[in-house]
Structures are given as C-alpha cells and as structure tokens.
Amino acid sequence: MCGQSYTSRSCYNSHMDKHSNNKRYSCSHCGKKFFVWISRRTHIYKVHLKRTYCDCPYCGKGFYTQHHMKKHIDADHFDIAPYQCVVCGKTFKQSSNLRCHEKIHEGPKSCDICRKELKTMACLRQHMRTHSDERNYICPVCSKAITYNMIPFFNLYYELMGIEPPEYSDFPSKICSSCETG
C-alpha cells in the first residue's frame, strides 16, 4: 500500500488500521475511538482521570506516556542531546529543533519585493508581513497595532538560556518601532 515496513505484527496492524480508518480501541468512559491503545490511555488520563500517567523521579513533572518522561529525563536531567545536524554538527535535545535548524543550511531566501535575504522560509513569510497592511498584534507597552509579535521570540530566548524573562519594559530590543521599550 504505502511501502512502510514494521518489525512486529502489532505495529503493522496498527499502521494498516489507519489505511482502513479502523479505530479498534474505544474509551470505556465516553466511547471515543482510537487507532492505538496508547492514545486511548492518554485520553483517559487527560480527559477523564484528569491526572498524568507517570511522574519524573527527579523533579516530579507529570507525563502521559513513559516515552515522553524518558525524553524529558534525558534532555533535562542528563543533558543528553541525541539529535545532531549532519552539516555543522550542532546537537539538539529534540528532533523538532533539529529539523528547524536544518532549514538554515538550505541557503538564504530572498524577498521578491525588497530583495532582503532571510535564513529560512519561515523568516521570509514573517518578513513578507512587513510589506502588507496586516497588523495582527498589539504592543503590550504602547498598545500600537504591529505586524508581528516579538514577545514569544523573547520568551523562547530566555527559556533556552534558562533564565526568567524580564518585564516587557526591560526587553533588550524594541517590541515595536514606535514605543521606547528597551
């Protein structure tokens, strides 16, 4: 059908269920159906029991699957970064961060309007908003409508650095071009 291969019969059957839309695992509480039993268990813990399935033995953080708890322990407690960029060798704790990073190596993307070069397609899409009248965000300092919201980027930066984000008025760069933040 799709060329995918599996090492166990149960994994193969689970995969084939998706092709035929056969959700064989149903929730005993509400009847919702799932392709795989782990999704059903996660649903029951999240929705009906309103608690996590397992807790990290190091910090007590709760998880709905042991797989996610193991990834958390490896990344946060043992500082394991198993995902490595084949181009530059930089390592990452999560595969999604590696995939995002790898786009940088695809070469710069050029804006058709002003010819500015940007590192990734995501950056180019964000940049293209500056050429439109789109103003989807409000600056929390001066209340001006702005093209894009910089606060999540600042928050991500501080989170990656492992430090508490400062108040908006203390950000190292302007949130919008008209207020005197920073």
Side-chain angles (χ1 to χ4, degrees):
M1 233 182 205
C2 68
Q4 194 80 326
S5 61
Y6 293 91
T7 55
S8 75
R9 189 77 163 141
S10 63
C11 289
Y12 171 77
N13 288 338
S14 261
H15 176 77
M16 293 308 289
D17 283 347
K18 290 177 186 170
H19 284 292
S20 60
N21 201 26
N22 180 20
K23 296 180 179 181
R24 66 174 74 210
Y25 302 97
S26 60
C27 174
S28 57
H29 298 271
C30 67
K32 185 173 180 175
K33 295 182 174 269
F34 302 90
F35 289 114
V36 292
W37 67 270
I38 196 93
S39 297
R40 176 185 58 188
R41 186 185 70 193
T42 299
H43 161 80
I44 290 170
Y45 271 84
K46 274 185 180 177
V47 176
H48 303 295
L49 301 179
K50 301 203 184 305
R51 67 182 182 91
T52 54
Y53 176 72
C54 52
D55 297 326
C56 173
Y58 298 97
C59 67
K61 184 175 180 178
F63 296 90
Y64 294 107
T65 66
Q66 289 180 341
H67 170 76
H68 287 110
M69 182 180 69
K70 183 183 179 331
K71 284 177 73 172
H72 157 78
I73 290 170
D74 287 349
D76 293 358
H77 299 295
F78 297 137
D79 204 30
I80 295 173
Y83 305 100
Q84 186 171 26
C85 176
V86 295
V87 178
C88 69
K90 186 172 182 179
T91 58
F92 298 88
K93 293 178 180 182
Q94 295 180 349
S95 60
S96 58
N97 292 344
L98 170 61
R99 283 193 306 274
C100 185
H101 163 81
E102 286 173 333
K103 292 176 182 173
I104 291 170
H105 297 300
E106 293 173 0
K109 310 297 178 206
S110 238
C111 173
D112 291 336
I113 298 169
C114 69
R115 300 291 177 223
K116 181 175 182 173
E117 287 197 347
L118 298 118
K119 287 185 177 182
T120 65
M121 276 305 290
C123 291
L124 177 59
R125 279 191 299 273
Q126 186 75 20
H127 167 76
M128 291 306 289
R129 292 180 185 159
T130 64
H131 294 300
S132 74
D133 292 331
E134 181 181 332
R135 301 286 184 263
N136 291 336
Y137 303 100
I138 304 296
C139 174
V141 177
C142 71
S143 300
K144 180 185 175 196
I146 54 180
T147 305
Y148 52 88
N149 185 2
M150 289 303 295
I151 292 171
F153 298 107
F154 286 124
N155 287 339
L156 177 62
Y157 167 77
Y158 286 109
E159 182 183 324
L160 291 172
M161 295 304 290
I163 54 178
E164 197 66 31
E167 295 299 316
Y168 293 128
S169 60
D170 296 331
F171 273 115
S173 176
K174 290 185 171 143
I175 292 172
C176 77
S177 59
S178 67
C179 73
E180 294 302 315
T181 305

